[in-house]
Amino acid sequence: MPGAELLEIVLPPLAVGVMVALVHAPMGIEVLRRGIVFIDLAIAQIAGLSVVLVNTWRHEPDWLTTQTFAVAAAILAAFLFRWVERKLPREQEAVIGSCFILAASLALLVLADHPQGGEEIQHILSGQILFVSWPAFFSFLPIYLAGFTLWYWTEKTRTGLPFFLVFAIVVTSSVQLVGVYVVFASLILPALAVNRMEPRKDWKAVGCGVGAIVTGVTLSAFTDQPAGPMIVVTLVLTTIIVRTFGKTPDR
């Protein structure tokens, strides 16, 4: 494949990867601080389930219909998880993890007799970031810009219900662009990589996320391997390297 053609294919996925990493990395730090690691998997899977249901009920639904149902489902999950945080703080991780398993199981049941059920499940889990186009990027860009702005310029966004709502809306977009695996990995692994580092922890996590995702997308394009699993591998390797050789206060 000529270099110019390859670049034309890779640029939109790279732009999406950078966009996702910029918002996911700081949110992942907050998730790790709260000790609710399963929340990203749960909300991502709930959003994925809603997309599956919409596509099952309506043949080739338009973008707005899909987003409306997906965001509505994620917002309902956000309210539920905030209630659990307040009423059942000691059991919230168990409840959130159970919601993930339930949503995943329902998706499998809905797609059990679907002729393309296997492809749909694979799409939800590992995504198809290499097939993302510029129109898709620009369709989701306002959501990430809003999430990024609220996160850094409105301190209240990181507390209480606003955290769950903003997190849910961002993750709903991400699962459609990159899949559940990359959503989880891009939230938790950069945060884990810099967890013992101070100061500027947010931006160090962003650097880890961007570097790993760009590397994963590039390797996937050149080796013709699935992009989602490749990104997860590069995120894991980046986390191991940073945790092993990164400068921390106890060194």
Side-chain angles (χ1 to χ4, degrees):
M1 182 182 296
E5 186 179 345
L6 181 62
L7 189 63
E8 186 178 342
I9 293 172
V10 170
L11 279 179
L14 288 176
V16 166
V18 171
M19 178 174 69
V20 167
L22 280 170
V23 183
H24 279 206
M27 287 186 173
I29 291 173
E30 180 63 20
V31 167
L32 206 60
R33 186 189 71 79
R34 289 169 175 250
I36 49 174
V37 175
F38 282 125
I39 190 173
D40 43 5
L41 280 174
I43 291 181
Q45 191 63 60
I46 289 168
L49 172 61
S50 67
V51 172
V52 167
L53 291 173
V54 172
N55 281 276
T56 302
W57 292 334
R58 297 187 60 176
H59 180 64
E60 296 184 358
D62 58 81
W63 185 86
L64 183 59
T65 299
T66 301
Q67 297 314 306
T68 300
F69 277 90
V71 170
I75 288 175
L76 287 175
F79 277 102
L80 170 63
F81 294 152
R82 171 55 178 163
W83 181 86
V84 171
E85 182 184 53
R86 292 174 57 217
K87 301 295 184 179
L88 305 167
R90 294 183 179 180
E91 299 170 312
Q92 63 175 331
E93 186 74 339
V95 173
I96 291 171
S98 298
C99 289
F100 161 67
I101 292 299
L102 175 61
S105 299
L106 289 174
L108 288 172
L109 288 172
V110 170
L111 293 172
D113 297 323
H114 194 284
Q116 282 85 41
E119 288 183 22
E120 291 291 332
I121 290 295
Q122 184 177 357
H123 175 67
I124 292 170
L125 294 177
S126 61
Q128 292 184 330
I129 189 173
L130 276 184
F131 297 96
V132 172
S133 62
W134 284 120
F137 169 79
F138 286 112
S139 294
F140 285 100
L141 180 60
I143 296 172
Y144 288 91
L145 286 176
F148 185 86
T149 302
L150 287 170
W151 192 263
Y152 282 104
W153 277 275
T154 307
E155 188 174 344
K156 193 176 180 181
T157 302
R158 304 188 183 206
T159 63
L161 183 60
F163 162 74
F164 286 96
L165 291 175
V166 173
F167 185 86
I169 292 170
V170 169
V171 167
T172 299
S173 301
S174 299
V175 74
Q176 296 175 71
L177 291 170
V178 300
V180 173
Y181 293 156
V182 175
V183 167
F184 178 83
S186 60
L187 279 160
I188 300 305
L189 290 172
L192 190 61
V194 305
N195 197 38
R196 297 184 298 173
M197 296 183 179
E198 296 289 351
R200 298 187 295 277
K201 184 182 289 187
D202 281 15
W203 293 108
K204 290 174 182 176
V206 167
C208 291
V210 169
I213 291 176
V214 167
T215 302
V217 170
T218 304
L219 286 174
S220 174
F222 277 99
T223 62
D224 198 27
Q225 295 297 317
M230 185 68 77
I231 291 171
V232 171
V233 170
T234 55
L235 280 164
V236 169
L237 291 176
T238 300
T239 301
I240 293 172
I241 292 169
V242 172
R243 291 280 297 204
T244 303
F245 300 104
K247 196 172 183 180
T248 58
D250 57 342
R251 290 190 179 185

